[in-house]
PDB file of all heavy atoms in Angstrom:
ATOM      1  N   LEU Q  43       5.253  12.256   1.057  1.00 90.00           N
ATOM      2  CA  LEU Q  43       4.829  13.567   0.842  1.00 90.00           C
ATOM      3  C   LEU Q  43       5.579  14.459   1.908  1.00 90.00           C
ATOM      4  O   LEU Q  43       5.400  14.182   3.000  1.00 90.00           O
ATOM      5  CB  LEU Q  43       3.415  13.786   0.973  1.00 90.00           C
ATOM      6  CG  LEU Q  43       2.439  13.550  -0.331  1.00 90.00           C
ATOM      7  CD1 LEU Q  43       1.039  13.861   0.052  1.00 90.00           C
ATOM      8  CD2 LEU Q  43       2.909  14.283  -1.566  1.00 90.00           C
ATOM      9  N   ALA Q  44       6.391  15.340   1.463  1.00 93.00           N
ATOM     10  CA  ALA Q  44       7.094  16.178   2.420  1.00 93.00           C
ATOM     11  C   ALA Q  44       6.142  17.416   2.861  1.00 93.00           C
ATOM     12  O   ALA Q  44       5.327  17.889   2.070  1.00 93.00           O
ATOM     13  CB  ALA Q  44       8.393  16.771   1.800  1.00 93.00           C
ATOM     14  N   VAL Q  45       6.235  17.749   4.056  1.00 94.00           N
ATOM     15  CA  VAL Q  45       5.420  18.847   4.656  1.00 94.00           C
ATOM     16  C   VAL Q  45       6.376  19.960   5.341  1.00 94.00           C
ATOM     17  O   VAL Q  45       7.256  19.739   6.012  1.00 94.00           O
ATOM     18  CB  VAL Q  45       4.500  18.264   5.736  1.00 94.00           C
ATOM     19  CG1 VAL Q  45       3.607  19.409   6.261  1.00 94.00           C
ATOM     20  CG2 VAL Q  45       3.673  17.228   5.205  1.00 94.00           C
ATOM     21  N   ALA Q  46       6.015  21.161   4.921  1.00 94.00           N
ATOM     22  CA  ALA Q  46       6.826  22.391   5.379  1.00 94.00           C
ATOM     23  C   ALA Q  46       5.932  23.392   6.085  1.00 94.00           C
ATOM     24  O   ALA Q  46       4.778  23.661   5.548  1.00 94.00           O
ATOM     25  CB  ALA Q  46       7.699  22.900   4.323  1.00 94.00           C
ATOM     26  N   LYS Q  47       6.406  23.973   7.130  1.00 92.00           N
ATOM     27  CA  LYS Q  47       5.711  25.158   7.784  1.00 92.00           C
ATOM     28  C   LYS Q  47       6.706  26.350   7.654  1.00 92.00           C
ATOM     29  O   LYS Q  47       7.686  26.330   8.346  1.00 92.00           O
ATOM     30  CB  LYS Q  47       5.432  24.829   9.247  1.00 92.00           C
ATOM     31  CG  LYS Q  47       4.804  26.041   9.929  1.00 92.00           C
ATOM     32  CD  LYS Q  47       4.531  25.713  11.442  1.00 92.00           C
ATOM     33  CE  LYS Q  47       3.932  26.867  12.243  1.00 92.00           C
ATOM     34  NZ  LYS Q  47       3.811  26.631  13.598  1.00 92.00           N
ATOM     35  N   GLY Q  48       6.324  27.305   6.757  1.00 91.00           N
ATOM     36  CA  GLY Q  48       7.272  28.312   6.430  1.00 91.00           C
ATOM     37  C   GLY Q  48       8.593  27.747   5.897  1.00 91.00           C
ATOM     38  O   GLY Q  48       8.613  26.894   4.948  1.00 91.00           O
ATOM     39  N   ALA Q  49       9.720  28.168   6.470  1.00 92.00           N
ATOM     40  CA  ALA Q  49      11.075  27.677   6.071  1.00 92.00           C
ATOM     41  C   ALA Q  49      11.428  26.430   6.748  1.00 92.00           C
ATOM     42  O   ALA Q  49      12.602  25.923   6.635  1.00 92.00           O
ATOM     43  CB  ALA Q  49      12.123  28.772   6.334  1.00 92.00           C
ATOM     44  N   GLN Q  50      10.560  25.742   7.528  1.00 92.00           N
ATOM     45  CA  GLN Q  50      10.984  24.640   8.292  1.00 92.00           C
ATOM     46  C   GLN Q  50      10.280  23.311   7.711  1.00 92.00           C
ATOM     47  O   GLN Q  50       9.126  23.166   7.553  1.00 92.00           O
ATOM     48  CB  GLN Q  50      10.476  24.712   9.743  1.00 92.00           C
ATOM     49  CG  GLN Q  50      10.976  23.505  10.667  1.00 92.00           C
ATOM     50  CD  GLN Q  50      10.341  23.539  12.099  1.00 92.00           C
ATOM     51  OE1 GLN Q  50       9.619  24.484  12.389  1.00 92.00           O
ATOM     52  NE2 GLN Q  50      10.878  22.722  12.964  1.00 92.00           N
ATOM     53  N   LEU Q  51      11.205  22.375   7.383  1.00 93.00           N
ATOM     54  CA  LEU Q  51      10.785  21.074   6.864  1.00 93.00           C
ATOM     55  C   LEU Q  51      10.378  20.124   8.015  1.00 93.00           C
ATOM     56  O   LEU Q  51      11.265  19.734   8.748  1.00 93.00           O
ATOM     57  CB  LEU Q  51      11.838  20.412   5.864  1.00 93.00           C
ATOM     58  CG  LEU Q  51      11.252  19.457   4.893  1.00 93.00           C
ATOM     59  CD1 LEU Q  51      12.404  19.285   3.759  1.00 93.00           C
ATOM     60  CD2 LEU Q  51      10.808  18.269   5.376  1.00 93.00           C
ATOM     61  N   LEU Q  52       9.073  19.860   8.297  1.00 93.00           N
ATOM     62  CA  LEU Q  52       8.689  19.234   9.458  1.00 93.00           C
ATOM     63  C   LEU Q  52       8.792  17.738   9.370  1.00 93.00           C
ATOM     64  O   LEU Q  52       8.903  16.983  10.437  1.00 93.00           O
ATOM     65  CB  LEU Q  52       7.233  19.457   9.728  1.00 93.00           C
ATOM     66  CG  LEU Q  52       6.967  21.064  10.030  1.00 93.00           C
ATOM     67  CD1 LEU Q  52       5.489  21.219  10.217  1.00 93.00           C
ATOM     68  CD2 LEU Q  52       7.862  21.582  11.252  1.00 93.00           C
ATOM     69  N   GLY Q  53       8.780  17.149   8.126  1.00 93.00           N
ATOM     70  CA  GLY Q  53       8.799  15.698   8.091  1.00 93.00           C
ATOM     71  C   GLY Q  53       8.097  15.190   6.863  1.00 93.00           C
ATOM     72  O   GLY Q  53       7.824  15.889   5.938  1.00 93.00           O
ATOM     73  N   VAL Q  54       7.579  13.873   6.850  1.00 94.00           N
ATOM     74  CA  VAL Q  54       6.945  13.305   5.640  1.00 94.00           C
ATOM     75  C   VAL Q  54       5.719  12.670   6.074  1.00 94.00           C
ATOM     76  O   VAL Q  54       5.683  11.996   7.190  1.00 94.00           O
ATOM     77  CB  VAL Q  54       7.823  12.469   4.880  1.00 94.00           C
ATOM     78  CG1 VAL Q  54       9.056  13.225   4.071  1.00 94.00           C
ATOM     79  CG2 VAL Q  54       8.485  11.328   5.653  1.00 94.00           C
ATOM     80  N   ILE Q  55       4.797  12.547   5.082  1.00 93.00           N
ATOM     81  CA  ILE Q  55       3.570  11.657   5.200  1.00 93.00           C
ATOM     82  C   ILE Q  55       3.891  10.399   4.382  1.00 93.00           C
ATOM     83  O   ILE Q  55       4.236  10.549   3.240  1.00 93.00           O
ATOM     84  CB  ILE Q  55       2.355  12.455   4.820  1.00 93.00           C
ATOM     85  CG1 ILE Q  55       2.205  13.784   5.415  1.00 93.00           C
ATOM     86  CG2 ILE Q  55       1.162  11.490   4.951  1.00 93.00           C
ATOM     87  CD1 ILE Q  55       1.153  14.739   4.853  1.00 93.00           C
ATOM     88  N   TYR Q  56       3.548   9.358   4.998  1.00 91.00           N
ATOM     89  CA  TYR Q  56       3.634   8.009   4.347  1.00 91.00           C
ATOM     90  C   TYR Q  56       2.407   7.696   3.736  1.00 91.00           C
ATOM     91  O   TYR Q  56       1.345   7.206   4.376  1.00 91.00           O
ATOM     92  CB  TYR Q  56       4.143   6.946   5.406  1.00 91.00           C
ATOM     93  CG  TYR Q  56       4.279   5.584   4.832  1.00 91.00           C
ATOM     94  CD1 TYR Q  56       4.215   5.262   3.453  1.00 91.00           C
ATOM     95  CD2 TYR Q  56       4.532   4.463   5.701  1.00 91.00           C
ATOM     96  CE1 TYR Q  56       4.427   4.029   2.943  1.00 91.00           C
ATOM     97  CE2 TYR Q  56       4.658   3.164   5.298  1.00 91.00           C
ATOM     98  CZ  TYR Q  56       4.597   2.885   3.861  1.00 91.00           C
ATOM     99  OH  TYR Q  56       4.774   1.601   3.402  1.00 91.00           O
ATOM    100  N   LEU Q  57       2.328   7.778   2.304  1.00 87.00           N
ATOM    101  CA  LEU Q  57       1.140   7.371   1.661  1.00 87.00           C
ATOM    102  C   LEU Q  57       1.324   5.984   1.034  1.00 87.00           C
ATOM    103  O   LEU Q  57       2.299   5.731   0.533  1.00 87.00           O
ATOM    104  CB  LEU Q  57       0.865   8.357   0.350  1.00 87.00           C
ATOM    105  CG  LEU Q  57       0.568   9.758   0.658  1.00 87.00           C
ATOM    106  CD1 LEU Q  57       0.331  10.515  -0.680  1.00 87.00           C
ATOM    107  CD2 LEU Q  57      -0.680   9.934   1.447  1.00 87.00           C
ATOM    108  N   LYS Q  58       0.380   5.048   1.466  1.00 82.00           N
ATOM    109  CA  LYS Q  58       0.542   3.680   1.171  1.00 82.00           C
ATOM    110  C   LYS Q  58      -0.586   3.184   0.326  1.00 82.00           C
ATOM    111  O   LYS Q  58      -1.771   3.522   0.521  1.00 82.00           O
ATOM    112  CB  LYS Q  58       0.575   2.869   2.464  1.00 82.00           C
ATOM    113  CG  LYS Q  58       0.753   1.476   2.343  1.00 82.00           C
ATOM    114  CD  LYS Q  58       0.750   0.786   3.686  1.00 82.00           C
ATOM    115  CE  LYS Q  58       0.938  -0.671   3.645  1.00 82.00           C
ATOM    116  NZ  LYS Q  58       0.904  -1.411   5.007  1.00 82.00           N
ATOM    117  N   ASP Q  59      -0.182   2.213  -0.567  1.00 78.00           N
ATOM    118  CA  ASP Q  59      -1.238   1.500  -1.358  1.00 78.00           C
ATOM    119  C   ASP Q  59      -1.778   0.380  -0.487  1.00 78.00           C
ATOM    120  O   ASP Q  59      -0.968  -0.381   0.158  1.00 78.00           O
ATOM    121  CB  ASP Q  59      -0.588   0.902  -2.580  1.00 78.00           C
ATOM    122  CG  ASP Q  59      -0.550   1.728  -3.846  1.00 78.00           C
ATOM    123  OD1 ASP Q  59      -1.692   2.243  -4.163  1.00 78.00           O
ATOM    124  OD2 ASP Q  59       0.424   1.974  -4.355  1.00 78.00           O
ATOM    125  N   ILE Q  60      -3.113   0.326  -0.260  1.00 77.00           N
ATOM    126  CA  ILE Q  60      -3.675  -0.564   0.556  1.00 77.00           C
ATOM    127  C   ILE Q  60      -4.098  -1.814  -0.315  1.00 77.00           C
ATOM    128  O   ILE Q  60      -4.927  -1.751  -1.232  1.00 77.00           O
ATOM    129  CB  ILE Q  60      -5.080  -0.101   1.194  1.00 77.00           C
ATOM    130  CG1 ILE Q  60      -4.640   1.239   1.940  1.00 77.00           C
ATOM    131  CG2 ILE Q  60      -5.470  -1.059   2.231  1.00 77.00           C
ATOM    132  CD1 ILE Q  60      -3.497   1.110   2.978  1.00 77.00           C
ATOM    133  N   VAL Q  61      -3.311  -2.936  -0.090  1.00 81.00           N
ATOM    134  CA  VAL Q  61      -3.696  -4.244  -0.815  1.00 81.00           C
ATOM    135  C   VAL Q  61      -5.071  -4.727  -0.323  1.00 81.00           C
ATOM    136  O   VAL Q  61      -5.382  -4.753   0.874  1.00 81.00           O
ATOM    137  CB  VAL Q  61      -2.576  -5.269  -0.540  1.00 81.00           C
ATOM    138  CG1 VAL Q  61      -3.015  -6.652  -1.166  1.00 81.00           C
ATOM    139  CG2 VAL Q  61      -1.378  -4.796  -1.216  1.00 81.00           C
ATOM    140  N   LYS Q  62      -5.904  -5.185  -1.352  1.00 81.00           N
ATOM    141  CA  LYS Q  62      -7.258  -5.646  -0.909  1.00 81.00           C
ATOM    142  C   LYS Q  62      -7.175  -6.890  -0.035  1.00 81.00           C
ATOM    143  O   LYS Q  62      -6.361  -7.674  -0.274  1.00 81.00           O
ATOM    144  CB  LYS Q  62      -8.036  -5.918  -2.209  1.00 81.00           C
ATOM    145  CG  LYS Q  62      -8.424  -4.730  -3.041  1.00 81.00           C
ATOM    146  CD  LYS Q  62      -9.419  -5.117  -4.157  1.00 81.00           C
ATOM    147  CE  LYS Q  62      -9.879  -3.933  -4.845  1.00 81.00           C
ATOM    148  NZ  LYS Q  62     -10.839  -4.254  -6.034  1.00 81.00           N
ATOM    149  N   PRO Q  63      -8.134  -6.869   1.103  1.00 80.00           N
ATOM    150  CA  PRO Q  63      -8.068  -7.945   1.902  1.00 80.00           C
ATOM    151  C   PRO Q  63      -8.361  -9.337   1.074  1.00 80.00           C
ATOM    152  O   PRO Q  63      -9.351  -9.233   0.277  1.00 80.00           O
ATOM    153  CB  PRO Q  63      -9.351  -7.639   2.829  1.00 80.00           C
ATOM    154  CG  PRO Q  63      -9.326  -6.154   2.698  1.00 80.00           C
ATOM    155  CD  PRO Q  63      -9.062  -5.802   1.390  1.00 80.00           C
ATOM    156  N   GLY Q  64      -7.652 -10.324   1.382  1.00 82.00           N
ATOM    157  CA  GLY Q  64      -7.993 -11.659   0.861  1.00 82.00           C
ATOM    158  C   GLY Q  64      -7.471 -11.842  -0.607  1.00 82.00           C
ATOM    159  O   GLY Q  64      -7.527 -13.002  -1.194  1.00 82.00           O
ATOM    160  N   ILE Q  65      -6.791 -10.754  -1.161  1.00 83.00           N
ATOM    161  CA  ILE Q  65      -6.331 -10.957  -2.588  1.00 83.00           C
ATOM    162  C   ILE Q  65      -5.221 -11.941  -2.683  1.00 83.00           C
ATOM    163  O   ILE Q  65      -5.104 -12.689  -3.622  1.00 83.00           O
ATOM    164  CB  ILE Q  65      -5.851  -9.505  -3.134  1.00 83.00           C
ATOM    165  CG1 ILE Q  65      -5.801  -9.681  -4.624  1.00 83.00           C
ATOM    166  CG2 ILE Q  65      -4.535  -9.052  -2.495  1.00 83.00           C
ATOM    167  CD1 ILE Q  65      -7.082  -9.617  -5.366  1.00 83.00           C
ATOM    168  N   SER Q  66      -4.366 -12.013  -1.537  1.00 86.00           N
ATOM    169  CA  SER Q  66      -3.223 -12.977  -1.601  1.00 86.00           C
ATOM    170  C   SER Q  66      -3.699 -14.403  -1.724  1.00 86.00           C
ATOM    171  O   SER Q  66      -3.176 -15.227  -2.372  1.00 86.00           O
ATOM    172  CB  SER Q  66      -2.330 -12.811  -0.303  1.00 86.00           C
ATOM    173  OG  SER Q  66      -1.229 -13.646  -0.422  1.00 86.00           O
ATOM    174  N   ALA Q  67      -4.832 -14.720  -0.935  1.00 85.00           N
ATOM    175  CA  ALA Q  67      -5.424 -16.035  -1.015  1.00 85.00           C
ATOM    176  C   ALA Q  67      -5.939 -16.366  -2.350  1.00 85.00           C
ATOM    177  O   ALA Q  67      -5.938 -17.585  -2.825  1.00 85.00           O
ATOM    178  CB  ALA Q  67      -6.493 -16.091   0.212  1.00 85.00           C
ATOM    179  N   ARG Q  68      -6.528 -15.396  -2.952  1.00 82.00           N
ATOM    180  CA  ARG Q  68      -7.208 -15.613  -4.384  1.00 82.00           C
ATOM    181  C   ARG Q  68      -5.978 -15.942  -5.255  1.00 82.00           C
ATOM    182  O   ARG Q  68      -6.059 -16.794  -6.148  1.00 82.00           O
ATOM    183  CB  ARG Q  68      -7.881 -14.441  -4.764  1.00 82.00           C
ATOM    184  CG  ARG Q  68      -9.064 -14.030  -3.971  1.00 82.00           C
ATOM    185  CD  ARG Q  68      -9.971 -13.037  -4.544  1.00 82.00           C
ATOM    186  NE  ARG Q  68     -10.830 -13.702  -5.520  1.00 82.00           N
ATOM    187  CZ  ARG Q  68     -11.724 -13.089  -6.263  1.00 82.00           C
ATOM    188  NH1 ARG Q  68     -11.976 -11.764  -5.924  1.00 82.00           N
ATOM    189  NH2 ARG Q  68     -12.575 -13.653  -7.118  1.00 82.00           N
ATOM    190  N   PHE Q  69      -4.826 -15.299  -5.174  1.00 86.00           N
ATOM    191  CA  PHE Q  69      -3.827 -15.559  -6.059  1.00 86.00           C
ATOM    192  C   PHE Q  69      -3.205 -16.945  -5.802  1.00 86.00           C
ATOM    193  O   PHE Q  69      -2.620 -17.584  -6.723  1.00 86.00           O
ATOM    194  CB  PHE Q  69      -2.682 -14.519  -5.899  1.00 86.00           C
ATOM    195  CG  PHE Q  69      -3.046 -13.110  -6.436  1.00 86.00           C
ATOM    196  CD1 PHE Q  69      -2.620 -11.910  -5.852  1.00 86.00           C
ATOM    197  CD2 PHE Q  69      -3.795 -13.076  -7.635  1.00 86.00           C
ATOM    198  CE1 PHE Q  69      -2.971 -10.725  -6.496  1.00 86.00           C
ATOM    199  CE2 PHE Q  69      -4.133 -11.932  -8.180  1.00 86.00           C
ATOM    200  CZ  PHE Q  69      -3.680 -10.619  -7.567  1.00 86.00           C
ATOM    201  N   MET Q  70      -3.259 -17.359  -4.529  1.00 85.00           N
ATOM    202  CA  MET Q  70      -2.842 -18.703  -4.371  1.00 85.00           C
ATOM    203  C   MET Q  70      -3.753 -19.748  -5.020  1.00 85.00           C
ATOM    204  O   MET Q  70      -3.225 -20.796  -5.599  1.00 85.00           O
ATOM    205  CB  MET Q  70      -2.885 -19.048  -2.844  1.00 85.00           C
ATOM    206  CG  MET Q  70      -1.723 -18.306  -2.028  1.00 85.00           C
ATOM    207  SD  MET Q  70      -1.759 -18.654  -0.241  1.00 85.00           S
ATOM    208  CE  MET Q  70      -1.520 -20.397  -0.166  1.00 85.00           C
ATOM    209  N   ARG Q  71      -5.049 -19.518  -5.038  1.00 81.00           N
ATOM    210  CA  ARG Q  71      -5.956 -20.270  -5.796  1.00 81.00           C
ATOM    211  C   ARG Q  71      -5.629 -20.223  -7.267  1.00 81.00           C
ATOM    212  O   ARG Q  71      -5.639 -21.263  -7.950  1.00 81.00           O
ATOM    213  CB  ARG Q  71      -7.364 -19.799  -5.559  1.00 81.00           C
ATOM    214  CG  ARG Q  71      -8.087 -20.279  -4.353  1.00 81.00           C
ATOM    215  CD  ARG Q  71      -9.386 -19.556  -4.115  1.00 81.00           C
ATOM    216  NE  ARG Q  71     -10.295 -19.714  -5.298  1.00 81.00           N
ATOM    217  CZ  ARG Q  71     -11.229 -18.909  -5.467  1.00 81.00           C
ATOM    218  NH1 ARG Q  71     -11.531 -17.832  -4.694  1.00 81.00           N
ATOM    219  NH2 ARG Q  71     -12.068 -18.924  -6.531  1.00 81.00           N
ATOM    220  N   ILE Q  72      -5.331 -19.106  -7.807  1.00 82.00           N
ATOM    221  CA  ILE Q  72      -4.952 -18.989  -9.204  1.00 82.00           C
ATOM    222  C   ILE Q  72      -3.647 -19.794  -9.560  1.00 82.00           C
ATOM    223  O   ILE Q  72      -3.560 -20.472 -10.518  1.00 82.00           O
ATOM    224  CB  ILE Q  72      -4.839 -17.562  -9.610  1.00 82.00           C
ATOM    225  CG1 ILE Q  72      -6.152 -16.856  -9.556  1.00 82.00           C
ATOM    226  CG2 ILE Q  72      -4.266 -17.451 -11.078  1.00 82.00           C
ATOM    227  CD1 ILE Q  72      -6.183 -15.245  -9.703  1.00 82.00           C
ATOM    228  N   ARG Q  73      -2.748 -19.708  -8.569  1.00 84.00           N
ATOM    229  CA  ARG Q  73      -1.533 -20.443  -8.834  1.00 84.00           C
ATOM    230  C   ARG Q  73      -1.706 -21.939  -8.843  1.00 84.00           C
ATOM    231  O   ARG Q  73      -1.070 -22.669  -9.639  1.00 84.00           O
ATOM    232  CB  ARG Q  73      -0.500 -20.048  -7.739  1.00 84.00           C
ATOM    233  CG  ARG Q  73       1.017 -20.374  -8.029  1.00 84.00           C
ATOM    234  CD  ARG Q  73       1.869 -19.753  -7.045  1.00 84.00           C
ATOM    235  NE  ARG Q  73       1.971 -18.371  -7.117  1.00 84.00           N
ATOM    236  CZ  ARG Q  73       1.406 -17.470  -6.248  1.00 84.00           C
ATOM    237  NH1 ARG Q  73       0.823 -18.088  -5.116  1.00 84.00           N
ATOM    238  NH2 ARG Q  73       1.523 -16.229  -6.303  1.00 84.00           N
ATOM    239  N   ALA Q  74      -2.687 -22.485  -8.017  1.00 79.00           N
ATOM    240  CA  ALA Q  74      -2.968 -23.799  -8.068  1.00 79.00           C
ATOM    241  C   ALA Q  74      -3.623 -24.279  -9.268  1.00 79.00           C
ATOM    242  O   ALA Q  74      -3.541 -25.450  -9.635  1.00 79.00           O
ATOM    243  CB  ALA Q  74      -3.908 -24.082  -6.861  1.00 79.00           C
ATOM    244  N   MET Q  75      -4.182 -23.375 -10.193  1.00 78.00           N
ATOM    245  CA  MET Q  75      -4.699 -23.694 -11.441  1.00 78.00           C
ATOM    246  C   MET Q  75      -3.591 -23.731 -12.497  1.00 78.00           C
ATOM    247  O   MET Q  75      -3.889 -24.091 -13.655  1.00 78.00           O
ATOM    248  CB  MET Q  75      -5.648 -22.671 -11.944  1.00 78.00           C
ATOM    249  CG  MET Q  75      -6.949 -22.402 -10.993  1.00 78.00           C
ATOM    250  SD  MET Q  75      -7.929 -21.121 -11.741  1.00 78.00           S
ATOM    251  CE  MET Q  75      -8.714 -20.447 -10.327  1.00 78.00           C
ATOM    252  N   GLY Q  76      -2.338 -23.288 -12.142  1.00 82.00           N
ATOM    253  CA  GLY Q  76      -1.314 -23.336 -13.144  1.00 82.00           C
ATOM    254  C   GLY Q  76      -1.302 -21.959 -13.883  1.00 82.00           C
ATOM    255  O   GLY Q  76      -0.771 -21.964 -15.062  1.00 82.00           O
TER     256      GLY Q  76
END
C-alpha cells in the first residue's frame, strides 16, 4: 500500500497474509496419509 503526504510519496506499507500457526505440521500429517 503506497502512502502519500500531499505531493510527496513517503513509502509503502507491507500488508502480509499471516499463515496459521501449526498449519505446516498439519499438512505434513496429511501428506503422510497420501
